[in-house]
């Protein structure tokens, strides 16, 4: 199992690591330790590079989880590093930080919509600085969307703290807020649950990367909304400086 620093410290940009295994078919590398987020929960995987201690560098175009391991996809056309090679694994920080801002903005959106309208989330997706969320939100309208945008930016101005915790399964399942975010869909075998709390607003079970304070997000603009049926509605956002 590879140690995943992004899980406990979203601000870790690089780490020393050793190549444990290579997969020529997938053109991928397994490290003993990494800062690469492997994608999931609507957040895309990181890109970046591996820099060899004794020369050479490899472009990492993505990362994927296989069981508990994180595999780094190496750009086609370059030879894979050797097993046991010492490298520095480094993510494209600017892109990742934009994803952290966007991801946290989506938490604000979902927290505000739940607090003010009791509408729950059914899904979401993001790219750096743009994202969308789907809600079970029958009463959503154009006027409401403007109001929601205003409330989300108020939460940014409040500069709320964001806390990461890793809880035993039983403890996490006893928190009512987590049950609404479909924690019950988590696989049976999981013994620990990672939670992301926007203090005073929102608490979710989540594996992604987030900023430490909401003020770091910048501004959020609602760029569109769509009806996906009588109940299901989609809200699109953009994050700016
Ligand atoms: Zn999240």
């Amino acid at each position: 199992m590879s140690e995943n620093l992004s899980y406990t410290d979203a601000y870790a940009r690089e780490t020393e690591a050793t190549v444990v295994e290579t997969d020529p078919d997938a053109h991928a590398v397994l490290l003993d330790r990494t800062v690469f987020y492997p994608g999931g929960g609507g957040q895309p995987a990181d890109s970046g590079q591996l820099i060899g201690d004794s020369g050479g560098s490899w472009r990492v175009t993505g990362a994927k989880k296989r069981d508990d391991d994180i595999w780094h996809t190496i750009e086609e056309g370059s030879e894979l590093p050797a097993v046991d090679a010492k490298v520095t694994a480094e993510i494209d920080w600017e892109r990742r930080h934009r994803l952290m801002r966007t991801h946290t903005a989506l938490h604000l959106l979902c927290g505000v919509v739940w607090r003010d309208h009791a509408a729950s989330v059914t899904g979401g997706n993001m790219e750096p600085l743009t994202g969308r969320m789907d809600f079970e939100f029958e009463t959503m309208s154009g006027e409401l969307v403007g109001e929601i945008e205003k409330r989300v930016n108020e939460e940014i101005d409040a500069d709320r703290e964001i806390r990461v915790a890793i809880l035993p399964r039983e403890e996490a399942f006893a928190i009512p807020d987590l049950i609404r975010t479909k924690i019950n869909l988590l696989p049976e075998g999981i013994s620990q649950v990672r939670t992301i709390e926007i203090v005073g607003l929102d608490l979710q079970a989540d594996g992604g990367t987030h900023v430490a304070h909401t003020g770091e997000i910048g501004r959020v603009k609602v760029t569109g909304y769509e009806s996906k049926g009588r109940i299901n509605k989609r809200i699109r956002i953009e994050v700016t400086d």
Side-chain angles (χ1 to χ4, degrees):
M1 172 172 173
S2 40
E3 187 190 349
N4 173 9
L5 299 172
S6 75
Y7 205 58
T8 46
D9 179 11
Y11 290 85
R13 302 179 189 199
E14 58 168 51
T15 181
E16 301 294 307
T18 303
V19 176
V20 173
E21 207 181 322
T22 60
D23 178 347
D25 292 334
H27 208 62
V29 167
L30 177 65
L31 305 173
D32 62 340
R33 183 182 305 124
T34 192
V35 286
F36 282 75
Y37 180 66
Q43 182 180 337
D46 287 321
S47 57
Q49 56 183 339
L50 308 181
I51 301 159
D53 280 12
S54 38
S57 69
W58 296 266
R59 180 79 201 142
V60 178
T61 56
K64 271 187 200 142
K65 210 165 176 188
R66 284 190 216 163
D67 300 321
D68 284 331
D69 291 328
I70 296 170
W71 284 82
H72 305 73
T73 312
I74 304 294
E75 192 171 49
E76 287 299 331
S78 62
E79 211 172 297
L80 295 176
V83 170
D84 290 334
K86 307 275 183 216
V87 297
T88 300
E90 182 185 274
I91 54 172
D92 291 330
W93 173 249
E94 196 182 328
R95 177 175 180 276
R96 155 69 88 74
H97 190 246
R98 286 176 172 179
L99 285 167
M100 284 161 59
R101 289 165 60 200
T102 309
H103 192 143
T104 312
L106 289 171
H107 279 246
L108 286 186
L109 178 63
C110 134
V112 161
V113 166
W114 174 254
R115 182 196 62 196
D116 298 348
H117 307 283
S120 58
V121 171
T122 59
N125 214 345
M126 74 197 81
E127 291 298 326
L129 304 182
T130 61
R132 62 168 171 80
M133 279 211 125
D134 296 337
F135 297 92
E136 288 177 353
F137 196 172
E138 196 174 353
T139 59
M140 198 185 75
S141 66
E143 292 118 82
L144 266 188
V145 161
E147 176 72 14
I148 290 165
E149 178 184 282
K150 191 169 152 225
R151 298 290 171 225
V152 165
N153 283 296
E154 282 172 7
E155 296 302 325
I156 290 174
D157 293 336
D159 201 21
R160 292 187 187 275
E161 187 192 346
I162 293 146
R163 291 183 191 153
V164 183
I166 294 166
L167 304 177
R169 183 189 178 93
E170 306 70 51
E171 206 177 306
F173 272 69
I175 302 173
D177 264 10
L178 288 184
I179 293 163
R180 79 169 161 87
T181 56
K182 301 185 170 36
I183 193 178
N184 49 329
L185 299 180
L186 289 176
E188 282 287 327
I190 288 182
S191 60
Q192 290 185 320
V193 177
R194 181 173 179 263
T195 61
I196 302 298
E197 180 180 16
I198 300 181
V199 177
L201 180 71
D202 186 54
L203 180 63
Q204 296 191 29
D206 189 308
T209 62
H210 311 78
V211 294
H213 290 90
T214 58
E216 206 173 318
I217 294 170
R219 289 283 99 183
V220 169
K221 196 169 175 275
V222 173
T223 52
Y225 72 97
E226 291 152 47
S227 196
K228 312 292 282 181
R230 190 173 60 85
I231 308 270
N232 296 308
K233 309 292 158 75
R234 173 169 291 177
I235 298 178
R236 294 181 187 279
I237 61 161
E238 192 178 280
V239 174
T240 59
D241 290 337

